[in-house]
Amino acid sequence: MENHGRESDARPADDGVPIERRPLDPLPYEGVWRFTAPAVDASVPQARHAVRDLLYRQGVPASPDLVHGLLLIVSELATNAVRHAALLSPTLAVEVAVGAEWVRVSVEDNHPYRPTALEADHGRTGGRGLLLVREIAREAGGVCDIEHTASGGKVVWAALPLKPAQLMP
């Protein structure tokens, strides 16, 4: 069993001898989910809705702001895959990984081009999706990166810290 960074406290056994420390079971919302979709415009809102529904269905304790940021990241990354990779990658894959203290979303395609974040240019109406993803991740205290896959494509991902929603008194 993988240790997700949480260990139980040492506890005395019935005979007074402490039981060794062992990892706790994963939280009910922890896991990894992956789905694929055609690299077409209609897949962008479908990916966003699928991630939103997954977070809700799994009971991930995420604040509305965190969910909004994750959904915006998924939209931007899926849009980039559709606009810039569809010619060489007719499908894209969306993955959501939820740990005890973080959520990671990624979009994978089979296009070898490694995108770069453009600087803000107020005269342009597009081309700032990766810059937006990096800014959302940074503001949330998370990170994002781009990795090459074994098949020659790429995965663009962002991981944000999972801060449970604060309940109003």
Side-chain angles (χ1 to χ4, degrees):
M1 177 184 297
E2 182 179 339
N3 183 344
H4 295 279
R6 300 175 326 263
E7 294 182 353
S8 63
D9 294 324
R11 300 172 302 202
D14 291 339
D15 60 4
V17 177
I19 298 174
E20 72 179 59
R21 294 169 58 95
R22 61 186 140 181
L24 293 174
D25 290 331
L27 295 169
Y29 58 82
E30 288 183 88
V32 178
W33 298 268
R34 182 179 175 90
F35 60 91
T36 59
V40 296
D41 289 337
S43 294
V44 175
Q46 290 172 352
R48 186 176 54 248
H49 294 293
V51 170
R52 181 199 62 205
D53 294 347
L54 172 71
L55 295 172
Y56 177 74
R57 185 175 61 248
Q58 292 304 122
V60 177
S63 70
D65 286 342
L66 179 65
V67 172
H68 179 73
L70 288 167
L71 298 180
L72 188 52
I73 288 170
V74 168
S75 290
E76 291 297 330
L77 296 181
T79 298
N80 284 351
V82 168
R83 287 189 182 159
H84 305 294
L87 185 61
L88 295 179
S89 182
T91 62
L92 58 92
V94 177
E95 184 173 282
V96 180
V98 183
E101 299 175 358
W102 50 267
V103 178
R104 180 181 187 261
V105 293
S106 64
V107 174
E108 179 179 340
D109 63 58
N110 290 320
H111 195 291
Y113 172 69
R114 183 181 173 107
T116 56
L118 301 175
E119 294 301 317
D121 178 353
H122 300 292
R124 296 182 64 180
T125 59
R128 294 186 293 260
L130 192 54
L131 182 66
L132 180 60
V133 168
R134 287 188 175 164
E135 187 62 22
I136 292 168
R138 185 192 64 77
E139 285 183 7
V143 294
C144 71
D145 202 0
I146 303 162
E147 299 171 357
H148 289 285
T149 64
S151 64
K154 66 184 166 302
V155 176
V156 185
W157 60 268
L160 306 182
L162 184 57
K163 298 174 186 171
Q166 299 295 321
L167 299 177
M168 299 299 287

